[in-house]
Amino acid sequence: MADERSPTARHSQRRRPIDSDWNITDVCSSYWRLYINNRDGTAVRLARGLHPLPAGRIHLIPAYVRFSCVNATPIDHYYIHFDLLGLTPLLQKSLFAEPLSMPLTPTSRRVLSRHKRGQTTADSPDLLCLTQALVLESLAQAFAGLTQASRTQLIAAFAVPSLVQPAIRLLQQVLPAAPSVADLADACSMSEDHFIRCFRQAVGQTPARYVLQRRLALAARQLLYTTDSIETIATRHQFSNRFHFTRAFSREMGIAPAAYRSATRV
């Protein structure tokens, strides 16, 4: 989706059997996970304890939630990884700090049925649309469960004032290159100081911090979905070297890039 205020963009999906091979520790990602399992027995371990993922329900694990996978039983495991755009990492961490669970819906049953029959590939246009519908439907339930104060924050985040929208659009066009604050201010026809104040008021953080987090989120996706070296990804996203990238990535994600890359199976 082109609009930065769109709830989701870029998803990947898969249905596969899992066993003890799923037991990966210390997972933390910049994207969300949607899980549906056909049997009980799977759980994620959080700092506060074990969180079961029972069969016949939709489970959402928000971005930036740290967990470890727990499973010892053969299970048919369906997952979707997706980005939630329009919300800064800081706000996502504040609003969604725990996994969420909800009943299956007709849309989710249709998606599962299509995968089970194997009649279409995961990237067929109709299945991609159904999958996006499932993600949006699940997010709608998650948003509906927020407190009124949190819903007010969410509404404000998705309604970024038009004054700074040109800067948001410019970032979408030029990332992973890192535009200067002067470039962003110029796109909004503002002085730098005035732009920084407006951007911080609208988005909840400075332009520099926002740009860094978007660069790191894009780099995180490439760690998972490409075989490019960490050095190549660091250079592509305007980090001076692997050490600089690793330090920034670890500070944001709580895990080094090499370890993050090992989480693709969950």
Side-chain angles (χ1 to χ4, degrees):
M1 297 182 179
D3 191 338
E4 181 72 11
R5 293 169 297 176
S6 300
T8 66
R10 295 185 299 269
H11 71 261
S12 60
Q13 60 176 315
R14 188 180 175 189
R15 184 177 184 140
R16 73 180 186 92
I18 60 171
D19 206 321
S20 57
D21 66 325
W22 195 68
N23 294 343
I24 298 176
T25 60
D26 204 25
V27 178
C28 182
S29 303
S30 61
Y31 57 81
W32 287 54
R33 291 171 162 86
L34 184 154
Y35 293 153
I36 303 175
N37 298 317
N38 74 327
R39 294 177 61 183
D40 294 342
T42 302
V44 292
R45 189 177 301 281
L46 309 168
R48 61 168 177 76
L50 206 62
H51 180 91
L53 304 175
R57 292 184 67 80
I58 299 169
H59 305 284
L60 289 179
I61 300 183
Y64 306 103
V65 170
R66 185 172 302 281
F67 66 97
S68 295
C69 304
V70 179
N71 183 61
T73 304
I75 286 176
D76 190 19
H77 175 72
Y78 173 73
Y79 68 82
I80 305 172
H81 295 167
F82 64 93
D83 292 329
L84 180 55
L85 298 181
L87 299 185
T88 65
L90 182 64
L91 188 56
Q92 291 189 57
K93 293 174 187 178
S94 171
L95 297 183
F96 303 101
E98 297 283 337
L100 306 165
S101 183
M102 55 201 68
L104 291 180
T105 63
T107 302
S108 63
R109 295 182 190 280
R110 287 180 65 190
V111 171
L112 292 174
S113 176
R114 294 286 293 276
H115 275 276
K116 188 173 183 179
R117 295 199 307 266
Q119 293 181 346
T120 58
T121 61
D123 58 354
S124 63
D126 55 338
L127 187 53
L128 287 174
C129 290
L130 274 176
T131 305
Q132 183 81 338
L134 170 57
V135 169
L136 291 172
E137 191 176 66
S138 301
L139 282 173
Q141 294 190 61
F143 293 166
L146 292 172
T147 65
Q148 186 56 50
S150 294
R151 287 171 60 84
T152 299
Q153 285 183 281
L154 189 65
I155 291 169
F158 280 128
V160 176
S162 58
L163 285 176
V164 299
Q165 277 296 337
I168 299 293
R169 287 193 292 270
L170 177 62
L171 285 171
Q172 288 182 301
Q173 295 167 6
V174 303
L175 285 175
S180 67
V181 173
D183 291 334
L184 297 175
D186 185 62
C188 297
S189 302
M190 299 181 190
S191 69
E192 289 187 42
D193 288 345
H194 183 52
F195 169 72
I196 291 172
R197 287 194 298 272
C198 289
F199 192 94
R200 189 164 193 165
Q201 182 178 11
V203 179
Q205 58 188 164
T206 66
R209 181 65 179 162
Y210 181 88
V211 169
L212 175 62
Q213 289 181 333
R214 293 301 300 148
R215 286 162 57 207
L216 288 171
L218 290 172
R221 289 190 60 81
Q222 292 180 358
L223 285 168
L224 295 184
Y225 299 116
T226 76
T227 58
D228 295 343
S229 69
I230 293 176
E231 289 81 1
T232 297
I233 293 173
T235 300
R236 181 181 299 137
H237 291 277
Q238 311 298 305
F239 293 94
S240 56
N241 52 48
R242 176 170 175 160
F243 174 76
H244 179 208
F245 172 61
T246 297
R247 184 173 60 183
F249 192 93
S250 300
R251 186 183 299 119
E252 181 67 29
M253 303 300 300
I255 187 172
Y260 181 88
R261 185 164 243 173
S262 70
T264 55
R265 293 183 289 117
V266 301

